[in-house]
Amino acid sequence: MNFERLEKAAGAAGALEVEVSVSSDDVDELLGEFYEVLASCRNLDERLPWSEIEDRLSDSLPAKHLRELRRDFVIGRVTSDALRALDVTPALTPKIHALEYPEKGVPYSYSLAVVERPDLSLSSYEPVSIEMDETIVSDEDLEKRVADLLDQHARYIDDDPRPVRMGDHVKVDVMTKLGDETVVRLSGKGMILDVDGESMPAPFVEGMIGMDVGETRTIRYEVERPRSIAPDDVDRFVATVTVLSQQRKMAPDLTDEWVQGAFPRVSSVGEFLNELRRDMEFDALVLDKDTKAHLANIELEKRLQGDINDDFYQASYKAQMDKLERDLAARGKTLDDYFEEEKTNEQEFSMKMLIRSGESLRQGFALEALFDGRGMELVRGDLETAHAKLFGSESFDEEELRKSGRFHLVEGAAKRIKAISWLVETAEVSAVQAKG
């Protein structure tokens, strides 16, 4: 790519300010590539004129969105080439300042701010020492796991009628309203409800105490909002509940017959217990390895030397918040639901997340410093593994990653994976000393 202008200068807060201009020929070439990619993705003939591709996609891709996609594609390609030409490796996604949209036959200019990887080192590149106890699966642990499994396979049968008390299991119809809206997660027909203050809000459970089988009661209760800022900042629920029956929870007996029905691959109680113990011991090994990696990384982070731009902390916080919201959305929940479940509020949670994201950021940089300081090297398999962790099943294409500016993300992740593996393998582990 031939740049008509490519200049860098020191900007605010340690960022580099870059001015970029490309010729109309470069713009036309990139727009041609954009329409080829667009046509291919939409199963159109890539040789069609640009205007015809736009017409055929107009129903699903409005002109405004098309123009933004076209701009982002051109800027992404130009930015990647510009940073390579300047020998600048961004550690964060560059901030783009573009006033115009790229058009055919017209030169294009914009500016960007780049934050580079901070100049960090470690006070020592030798193995770390940590204290931790090995997880041992005891007979008591096995008995508890068996009891939990039997409890999960328990069935409910009708029990003798009596007034509801704490610890009961009851079948109910319940309809909960918040204003004029039905609260689906707090409503249901023929629900088996554990009267424990956990499966439903505690004030609702308290309102059920003493109800007889067949009785219908309206329970009005308040729950403090997760982001409340005043004592009366509450959600006011109105629940209509009918107790249909008392229920008795019947856990199955541990017999060969039950084992064969619940776990067809297993033929006897003895075989079931042996396999369960092996599974628990494997889980313990994984837990120990994770714990070892966590503790070793904490010790390594204490050796980190150098300053980290505040933009990194902000980006780390945002990334962790975005991931949490995506994970919650996949389970049909919101942040408010999470705050309610965790008995916290936005202010407390934000402070914890800031601390956690800052620790994660520094630990990641410490691993990269370890990789560089010990002269470790990456092979293609390392990059492919990191790419799979970041982007899932998307095929690994190094050239395309470099064009899109995402290669540095894969490379950084690969360095951290290789460094943490070395750190865990070489860590000197001693048992935790008992106090007193």
Side-chain angles (χ1 to χ4, degrees):
M1 186 173 296
N2 296 316
F3 295 97
E4 295 188 342
R5 183 184 182 192
L6 183 58
E7 300 173 358
K8 67 176 181 179
L16 285 176
E17 300 287 346
V18 180
E19 297 290 336
V20 185
S21 293
V22 291
S23 68
S24 58
D25 289 341
D26 284 328
V27 171
D28 291 352
E29 183 177 341
L30 289 170
L31 290 177
E33 186 179 345
F34 168 76
Y35 281 101
E36 285 180 8
V37 172
L38 184 62
S40 176
C41 291
R42 300 302 180 94
N43 296 317
L44 299 177
D45 187 343
E46 298 174 11
R47 296 167 297 180
L48 289 172
W50 299 353
S51 58
E52 187 168 344
I53 293 175
E54 291 180 6
D55 289 341
R56 294 196 184 189
L57 297 177
S58 59
D59 290 341
S60 60
L61 190 60
K64 179 182 177 181
H65 293 166
L66 176 65
R67 186 172 61 170
E68 291 174 349
L69 282 175
R70 193 168 57 202
R71 175 201 60 196
D72 294 346
F73 181 89
V74 170
I75 286 178
R77 287 289 195 258
V78 173
T79 298
S80 180
D81 280 6
L83 294 179
R84 277 204 301 273
L86 293 171
D87 195 25
V88 170
T89 301
L92 296 174
T93 301
K95 295 180 180 179
I96 307 296
H97 180 61
L99 299 177
E100 306 291 341
Y101 289 90
E103 300 292 346
K104 184 178 181 181
V106 180
Y108 190 58
S109 301
Y110 65 96
S111 62
L112 60 144
V114 182
V115 177
E116 295 184 277
R117 186 182 184 281
D119 185 15
L120 302 172
S121 61
L122 301 177
S123 58
S124 170
Y125 296 89
E126 297 305 309
V128 298
S129 299
I130 60 174
E131 286 188 347
M132 61 174 284
D133 288 326
E134 180 184 359
T135 303
I136 298 174
V137 177
S138 66
D139 290 342
E140 291 75 14
D141 294 329
L142 181 62
E143 290 173 6
K144 184 177 184 306
R145 177 67 67 86
V146 170
D148 289 342
L149 283 172
L150 293 175
D151 186 69
Q152 291 170 19
H153 287 80
R155 61 190 180 92
Y156 292 89
I157 61 174
D158 287 344
D159 201 357
D160 295 334
R162 66 170 182 274
V164 174
R165 62 193 180 208
M166 193 64 72
D168 281 351
H169 312 289
V170 293
K171 182 181 287 187
V172 298
D173 288 341
V174 57
M175 174 70 73
T176 303
K177 295 273 192 178
L178 180 59
D180 295 329
E181 299 291 328
T182 298
V183 184
V184 177
R185 63 186 174 85
L186 299 178
S187 303
K189 290 279 191 180
M191 295 170 55
I192 300 296
L193 176 64
D194 295 329
V195 186
D196 55 8
E198 294 181 6
S199 53
M200 293 284 279
F204 169 83
V205 172
E206 291 169 4
M208 284 187 60
I209 300 300
M211 288 184 68
D212 292 313
V213 172
E215 180 182 350
T216 298
R217 183 179 292 182
T218 298
I219 302 172
R220 292 176 169 80
Y221 63 95
E222 299 175 349
V223 175
E224 183 178 304
R225 292 193 181 103
R227 304 185 186 191
S228 62
I229 57 175
D232 61 347
D233 191 5
V234 296
D235 285 325
R236 294 178 172 84
F237 296 98
V238 179
T240 302
V241 57
T242 301
V243 178
L244 303 177
S245 63
Q246 280 280 356
Q247 297 285 303
R248 190 189 323 157
K249 194 173 187 179
M250 299 287 291
D253 293 327
L254 184 61
T255 64
D256 289 347
E257 292 73 23
W258 178 81
V259 165
Q260 292 163 9
F263 304 93
R265 294 188 302 104
V266 182
S267 61
S268 68
V269 171
E271 187 180 349
F272 166 72
L273 293 175
N274 286 336
E275 286 210 7
L276 186 58
R277 182 183 287 276
R278 281 195 294 269
D279 288 344
M280 293 176 66
E281 288 173 345
F282 177 80
D283 291 342
L285 285 174
V286 173
L287 177 62
D288 282 348
K289 186 174 181 180
D290 290 344
T291 302
K292 188 176 180 182
H294 177 66
L295 294 175
N297 209 349
I298 289 175
E299 290 303 312
L300 185 72
E301 184 262 330
K302 294 176 182 177
R303 302 176 178 178
L304 191 64
Q305 297 177 322
D307 297 325
I308 300 175
N309 191 301
D310 286 345
D311 285 353
F312 286 103
Y313 290 100
Q314 295 170 16
S316 180
Y317 172 78
K318 184 178 185 304
Q320 293 211 17
M321 288 296 293
D322 288 347
K323 182 180 184 302
L324 174 62
E325 293 198 63
R326 286 195 304 271
D327 292 344
L328 290 172
R331 306 202 308 265
K333 295 184 177 182
T334 65
L335 273 177
D336 283 340
D337 297 329
Y338 179 83
F339 294 153
E340 183 177 336
E341 291 172 0
E342 296 297 318
K343 304 294 189 293
T344 187
N345 57 47
E346 184 178 18
Q347 291 76 24
E348 291 176 355
F349 176 76
S350 293
M351 183 58 66
K352 291 178 181 177
M353 186 64 82
L354 278 170
I355 295 172
R356 190 184 311 162
S357 62
E359 291 173 345
S360 176
L361 175 72
R362 291 181 57 82
Q363 288 167 13
F365 276 135
L367 288 173
E368 290 189 42
L370 178 67
F371 179 97
D372 294 337
R374 291 198 63 86
M376 299 180 188
E377 295 182 353
L378 296 175
V379 297
R380 181 181 174 86
D382 299 324
L383 295 170
E384 290 175 343
T385 298
H387 181 269
K389 287 183 176 293
L390 290 175
F391 305 114
S393 59
E394 180 183 319
S395 60
F396 176 78
D397 185 332
E398 183 171 336
E399 183 179 353
E400 184 59 32
L401 286 170
R402 290 188 184 279
K403 283 184 179 179
S404 65
R406 296 189 297 172
F407 181 76
H408 74 280
L409 298 175
V410 175
E411 185 179 43
K415 286 183 175 182
R416 296 178 186 198
I417 292 170
K418 197 146 190 171
I420 193 66
S421 178
W422 181 89
L423 197 65
V424 170
E425 289 174 2
T426 61
E428 299 170 358
V429 184
S430 57
V432 177
Q433 298 295 314
K435 295 180 178 179

